Amino acid sequence: MSDITRIETGPRMSQAVVHGGVVYLAGQVGTAGASITKQTQDILANVDRLLAEVGSDKTKILQTTIWLSSMDDFAEMNAVWDAWVPQGHTPARAAGESKLATPDYNVEILCIAAV
């Protein structure tokens, strides 16, 4: 069995877990109370940072799940996403509306990537 590596492990969760050549990121959130644009930018910067820490990058993302507190913010989030995601390397993706941890978070993104 492959080793399991946990990154930024806390009492409730790890920010990333690597196993079998795959990295699983915890749901990432941005600055609470900020605009959808700012929250999405913060999240994607965290994704970049965590992937780099384990020797991966956004071209290796396999799947992404995006939760929005309101689908009314879908276009604003997508504007940031589309500028960030590398064309030709877009992952499988789902997006939906969900109540998030606090009302100050309006977007949360979860990624799974190859290492």
Side-chain angles (χ1 to χ4, degrees), residues 5 7-8 15 17 25 40-41 43-44 63 68 70 74 80 102 107-108:
T5 304
I7 308 297
E8 296 182 22
Q15 289 300 309
V17 177
L25 300 186
T40 305
Q41 290 168 337
I43 290 165
L44 298 177
Q63 182 180 32
L68 294 160
S70 170
F74 189 63
V80 178
T102 76
V107 60
E108 183 171 353

Side-chain angles (χ1 to χ4, degrees), residues 34-46:
S35 68
I36 294 297
T37 295
K38 175 67 172 145
Q39 287 188 33
T40 305
Q41 290 168 337
D42 291 348
I43 290 165
L44 298 177
N46 281 338

Side-chain angles (χ1 to χ4, degrees), residues 16 20 23 28 37 52-54 65 74 78-79 82 95 101 107 111:
V23 58
Q28 299 298 304
T37 295
E53 187 168 339
V54 300
T65 304
F74 189 63
N78 270 330
D82 291 346
V107 60
C111 294

